[in-house]
Amino acid sequence: MPGWKPMTSPTSPALPRERTPNRGGPLLDRLVTVPGRHGRVTHVEHVPARQAGQAQWPSWVPPQVREGFEGLGIQGLWSHQSEAADLVHRGQNVIIATGTASGKSLAYLVPAVTEALSGGTVLYLTPTKALAADQLRSVSALGVQGLRAATFDGDTPHEERAWVRRNANYVLTNPDMLHRSILPRHSAWTSFWRRLRLVIVDECHGYRGVFGSHVAQILRRLRRVSAKYGASPVFFLASATASDPATTGMRLTGLQMAEVTRDASPRGTTTVALWEPPLTDLRGEGGAPIRRAATAEAADLLADLVVDGVRTLAFVRSRRSAETVALTARGHLEDAGVPLADKIAAYRAGYLAEDRRLLEKALRSGDLLGVATTNALELGVDVSGLDAVLIAGWPGTRASLWQQAGRAGRDGQDALAVLIARDDPLDTYVVHHPEALFGRPVEATVLDPDNPYVLAPHLCAAAAEVPLTEADLEIFGPSAAGVLDDLVADGLLRRRPTGWFWTSRDLAAGLADIRGSGGSPVQIVETDTGRLLGTCDEASSHTSVHTGAVHIHQGETFVVDELDLEMGVALVTPGTPDYSTFARDVTDIAVIESLRSHALGPGELHFGSVEVTRQVVSYMKRRTSTGEMLGDEPLDLPPRSLRTKAVWWTLPPESLPPGIGDLGGAAHAAEHASIGLLPLFATCDRWDIGGVSTELHPDTGRLTVFVYDGHAGGAGFAERGFGNAVAWLTATRDAIASCECGHGCPSCIQSPKCGNGNEPLSKRGALELLDVLLGGSVQRSASR
């Protein structure tokens, strides 16, 4: 920003300083003493250091495996690694859920390599191809004779695939390839299946919501196919720190899981700061004040830290933001005459593996001091020796926060982590309520394998792979029998005395869009060249690739020229807009069935099935650097209907506060704020959920506020809100009350998705409604 100055005195050389121990606290002190930054740090927490336990090898590890690891400088396993590896070696399914840099990969690599060398085969699953490639390099670096590891994904040449099927004893792939290729063509893998001993599911905390529910059914299909060939593999799940990991593992695989959660790896002290950017003179909708962008703050801090010789990662929310933060930080240094601009880079999608390795090497060596990267790429960044991490915007879950913060201090030295709040209700809440982050367990992973919209296509795929029998119903869960009846009635499956059979010659796996929410795919095509960039499902196209949308692909920015739903194509042109876009919709909702309910204050809380009719009506442009609203453009798109799950609360007329004024605006504001806070209690993003509010709903006859899952059949988020309603709605109330604005702003009650232009909204009315609903008995001293 104009006026940025490096953290050095005018007479001192603007060069990297020597690294010193115990840097986290002093580094933060230097950041906050820069003129104009008073009051931006809302809380500081010191996470104490942890000493390493003794490392040793289990007695069953073969000499050649031990020698391979020792050749890489690994002298043994820490106790948590050894515990997990021993469980697998004894045939027990296990999930290890420990922090970043705790060596989870070593915990499964040792038993996996041992199994492969003893005549078995191993299947490794990861959410990303990049991580599979990294793991392949790690396995290959062991140099163990007889270990034949190979990736099998969309990039594997066809001439190599036959070799992998016949010869590899350690296959690395992803759920997409398992779903669409390996399981449907299982007969080509006969030898591999017969010897399958171990299935590794890495980064399993990423399998949540609808995607996680699909993966859960894919793993059940994997178990059936393995059983056909006489195999019963052990499952090893690796996760970031998670709440109740054994339950998560059981929901994902359908199998009982032992859990390993005690982390014996060494760590230095980490100083964690919560940072709130200041309000600016800019005004948004309704004259609401706008905070300085988190990315602008991150660029300033990144430049400061680079000047101080601090190796830093800055996590941001988008690929474009990664480029912007790096470019802005470099610009600060150049404008100030500091010769360090070449020490900063962006780490984004589209880099070749060789380029990524060079970048990581430069960061480790100190040739590169600052890197801006996206949250989505955190799996691909494999660096140690970092001093600081900047997190521009709440990353979605406490688990992700600690995953990213844990990138600093990875070689045991002390570190600094700074969470910079965006202009968003949840971000504002967490930086003013540190008790929501510290001293609390991380979230449980939310997924719903019994969702009939997920289960149905996988039952078809399973029947096509191996005809289903009565005995299989237990594998697929309690909803399977009813869904099978519906599939027979629809003609997709045929019932015979021996079981259920797939009726079509088409590939049954094509019925399940595991990373989308259904509907025919819309192709995203570059207008001038005809190049196919990718696809998205029809439902998502209304909000992500509508006409005028800014679309980012592989680090490149495009503007959508036209969305043609009849042709199923979105035409895009490369561009460099200085704004982002947000689709806005209007929504109606009808109650189908209340499945569970109970009293809440003078009102009622419900969880059940609803039908949502939603129509995208416009999109908003916001300047990327400042958050300033640039305009609202109309769209002409058809309405869409969705049957899903929702949580809703009602208040009877006699309980409403007298003189509340704008009742509709009060409910509307409470709805927006509750959507913003639900991700703190369910592992979702605010874009995964939606809401509707009305002062008199026809199905309830009362003032009603709904929050619903944005996926057919539900994704488990609304159900988690129902189960944590008091804590969730109390946090919502406190977030509104603690915001320093007068009448409502993006940090508390305004929503970028609102199809009504954030009108009407009543901040005071929302507080009064929530006080009535919560009975006025909840302690809120922290927010007053």
Side-chain angles (χ1 to χ4, degrees):
M1 67 177 181
W4 179 89
K5 295 292 188 298
M7 293 194 306
T8 53
S9 66
T11 57
S12 63
L15 296 172
R17 297 187 176 88
E18 293 298 319
R19 296 170 62 198
T20 57
N22 305 315
R23 300 198 68 187
L27 275 177
L28 179 62
D29 292 340
R30 292 177 60 76
L31 291 176
V32 299
T33 54
V34 170
R37 289 184 183 160
H38 176 72
R40 297 191 192 183
V41 174
T42 61
H43 181 79
V44 178
E45 191 87 6
H46 297 286
V47 180
R50 182 177 63 229
Q51 299 299 316
Q54 184 178 2
Q56 56 189 8
W57 293 109
S59 59
W60 49 262
V61 178
Q64 64 267 42
V65 175
R66 186 177 64 248
E67 291 165 4
F69 283 106
E70 288 175 344
L72 299 176
I74 299 169
Q75 300 305 313
L77 302 182
W78 290 315
S79 60
H80 66 288
Q81 297 168 325
S82 182
E83 180 184 358
D86 278 335
L87 286 166
V88 171
H89 185 69
R90 296 199 302 266
Q92 173 68 58
N93 303 305
V94 64
I95 179 169
I96 183 171
T98 52
T100 307
S102 60
K104 291 184 287 290
S105 59
L106 188 60
Y108 59 69
L109 276 172
V110 170
V113 174
T114 300
E115 290 287 6
L117 294 183
S118 65
T121 58
V122 175
L123 183 66
Y124 170 91
L125 294 174
T126 173
T128 67
K129 289 188 289 187
L131 187 55
D134 283 346
Q135 286 296 311
L136 178 62
R137 280 186 284 272
S138 298
V139 173
S140 301
L142 293 172
V144 176
Q145 189 173 4
L147 181 61
R148 301 180 300 278
T151 55
F152 192 90
D153 55 35
D155 294 337
T156 305
H158 284 281
E159 59 271 18
E160 292 183 16
R161 295 188 180 192
W163 183 92
V164 174
R165 287 191 293 263
R166 290 193 301 264
N167 299 290
N169 54 13
Y170 196 120
V171 174
L172 303 97
T173 188
N174 52 65
D176 311 76
M177 201 68 177
L178 185 61
H179 165 60
R180 290 190 170 272
S181 177
I182 297 176
L183 290 175
R185 298 174 176 84
H186 59 83
S187 59
W189 293 78
T190 299
S191 176
F192 183 85
W193 295 122
R194 285 175 176 164
R195 297 180 292 127
L196 184 61
R197 305 266 185 85
L198 178 62
V199 176
I200 300 164
V201 185
D202 203 0
E203 301 292 343
C204 69
H205 55 278
Y207 299 129
R208 59 180 186 259
V210 171
F211 177 49
S213 302
H214 278 294
V215 172
Q217 293 299 344
I218 292 169
L219 294 178
R220 284 157 174 77
R221 288 164 49 201
L222 168 62
R223 290 170 51 200
R224 285 186 74 239
V225 167
S226 300
K228 171 181 170 59
Y229 294 94
S232 180
V234 173
F235 280 76
F236 188 119
L237 277 57
S239 170
T241 305
S243 175
D244 199 5
T247 298
T248 296
M250 185 173 66
R251 297 195 78 182
L252 198 56
T253 64
L255 298 167
Q256 292 292 326
M257 288 272 157
E259 65 180 35
V260 175
T261 59
R262 189 179 64 83
D263 192 340
S265 60
R267 290 205 56 83
T269 299
T270 301
T271 299
V272 183
L274 307 182
W275 185 289
E276 184 175 45
L279 293 170
T280 69
D281 294 331
L282 296 172
R283 290 293 180 266
E285 291 178 304
I290 295 175
R291 290 195 182 278
R292 188 165 189 252
T295 50
E297 293 281 288
D300 287 2
L301 299 183
L302 182 61
D304 285 340
L305 292 167
V306 166
V307 167
D308 216 36
V310 179
R311 297 176 193 176
T312 306
L313 274 181
F315 284 107
V316 296
R317 298 273 294 184
S318 70
R319 298 164 186 165
R320 178 176 174 82
S321 293
E323 299 284 4
T324 299
V325 167
L327 184 64
T328 303
R330 286 198 299 264
H332 288 336
L333 298 177
E334 291 169 350
D335 292 344
V338 180
L340 294 173
D342 62 343
K343 298 288 186 179
I344 298 175
Y347 186 107
R348 59 171 177 81
Y351 276 18
L352 297 175
E354 295 80 5
D355 295 332
R356 189 173 71 249
R357 289 301 179 195
L358 288 174
L359 187 151
E360 293 165 1
K361 180 180 178 181
L363 187 57
R364 282 193 297 267
S365 68
D367 291 337
L368 193 62
L369 291 174
V371 170
T373 183
T374 63
N375 303 13
L377 289 178
E378 69 181 68
L379 296 180
V381 180
D382 182 17
V383 291
S384 59
L386 294 176
D387 299 304
V389 166
L390 305 173
I391 304 170
W394 174 248
T397 63
R398 287 186 292 274
S400 293
L401 174 70
W402 296 119
Q403 183 88 346
Q404 292 180 11
R407 294 293 175 186
R410 295 195 70 175
D411 61 359
Q413 88 273 10
D414 295 340
L416 171 67
V418 182
L419 171 62
I420 307 168
R422 291 177 302 145
D423 207 357
D424 177 89
L426 180 51
D427 289 46
T428 301
Y429 179 82
V430 296
V431 297
H432 287 284
H433 295 79
E435 69 277 6
L437 302 182
F438 304 107
R440 290 189 60 183
V442 297
E443 306 85 352
T445 303
V446 178
L447 65 151
D448 181 15
D450 295 326
N451 180 340
Y453 292 86
V454 171
L455 178 56
H458 288 287
L459 288 174
C460 290
E465 290 153 7
V466 182
L468 286 163
T469 67
E470 291 280 354
D472 293 323
L473 298 187
E474 183 179 354
I475 293 178
F476 289 100
S479 300
V483 173
L484 282 171
D485 290 341
D486 292 338
L487 292 171
V488 171
D490 292 339
L492 292 170
L493 295 181
R494 181 176 293 115
R495 180 72 190 268
R496 291 285 184 260
T498 55
W500 291 265
F501 293 77
W502 173 239
T503 60
S504 173
R505 293 184 179 180
D506 295 332
L507 184 66
L511 295 175
D513 177 14
I514 71 172
R515 293 185 187 262
S517 57
S520 301
V522 171
Q523 295 185 319
I524 304 169
V525 177
E526 190 171 6
T527 302
D528 293 338
T529 65
R531 177 170 61 120
L532 178 65
L533 300 179
T535 63
C536 68
D537 60 84
E538 193 269 342
S540 298
S541 70
H542 290 228
T543 55
S544 61
V545 290
H546 57 76
T547 300
V550 175
H551 177 72
I552 298 177
H553 175 77
Q554 294 291 313
E556 299 178 72
T557 303
F558 298 84
V559 177
V560 180
D561 301 319
E562 180 186 5
L563 171 61
D564 188 330
L565 292 173
E566 288 189 10
M567 297 296 293
V569 64
L571 299 174
V572 302
T573 297
T576 56
D578 64 347
Y579 59 85
S580 55
T581 55
F582 302 91
R584 311 179 79 156
D585 58 55
V586 293
T587 308
D588 290 320
I589 194 165
V591 175
I592 298 172
E593 181 183 14
S594 176
L595 300 173
R596 299 200 294 277
S597 66
H598 61 74
L600 185 60
E604 292 180 346
L605 182 77
H606 294 259
F607 169 74
S609 301
V610 297
E611 183 168 36
V612 179
T613 302
R614 182 180 174 208
Q615 184 173 19
V616 174
V617 294
S618 67
Y619 67 95
M620 184 173 63
K621 296 180 180 179
R622 284 203 173 192
R623 194 177 301 281
T624 305
S625 58
T626 65
E628 178 186 5
M629 194 178 86
L630 301 178
D632 197 17
E633 303 290 336
L635 290 170
D636 182 19
L637 289 167
R640 302 190 77 261
S641 292
L642 173 74
R643 288 206 169 195
T644 186
K645 296 292 193 300
V647 55
W648 65 93
W649 53 267
T650 67
L651 282 174
E654 62 272 15
S655 71
L656 299 177
I660 190 173
D662 184 0
L663 192 56
H668 193 194
E671 171 217 328
H672 281 184
S674 60
I675 290 172
L677 268 292
L678 183 56
L680 192 62
F681 300 88
T683 49
C684 66
D685 188 274
R686 70 179 299 160
W687 300 95
D688 293 324
I689 52 181
V692 177
S693 58
T694 175
E695 53 189 287
L696 183 64
H697 192 275
D699 294 332
T700 67
R702 296 179 170 189
L703 179 145
T704 309
V705 173
F706 296 87
V707 176
Y708 63 86
D709 292 346
H711 301 275
F717 308 137
E719 185 173 15
R720 185 55 58 91
F722 178 84
N724 294 275
V726 172
W728 166 40
L729 294 172
T730 300
T732 299
R733 193 269 176 206
D734 289 348
I736 300 172
S738 62
C739 186
E740 61 191 283
C741 72
H743 303 287
C745 70
S747 292
C748 58
I749 62 172
Q750 289 190 351
S751 169
K753 302 195 296 178
C754 182
N756 295 317
N758 283 299
E759 290 289 345
L761 292 174
S762 171
K763 179 177 180 178
R764 180 182 64 84
L767 290 171
E768 292 183 11
L769 283 183
L770 290 167
D771 277 339
V772 169
L773 183 71
L774 294 166
S777 62
V778 180
Q779 295 297 318
R780 305 187 185 95
S781 59
S783 68
R784 289 178 171 171

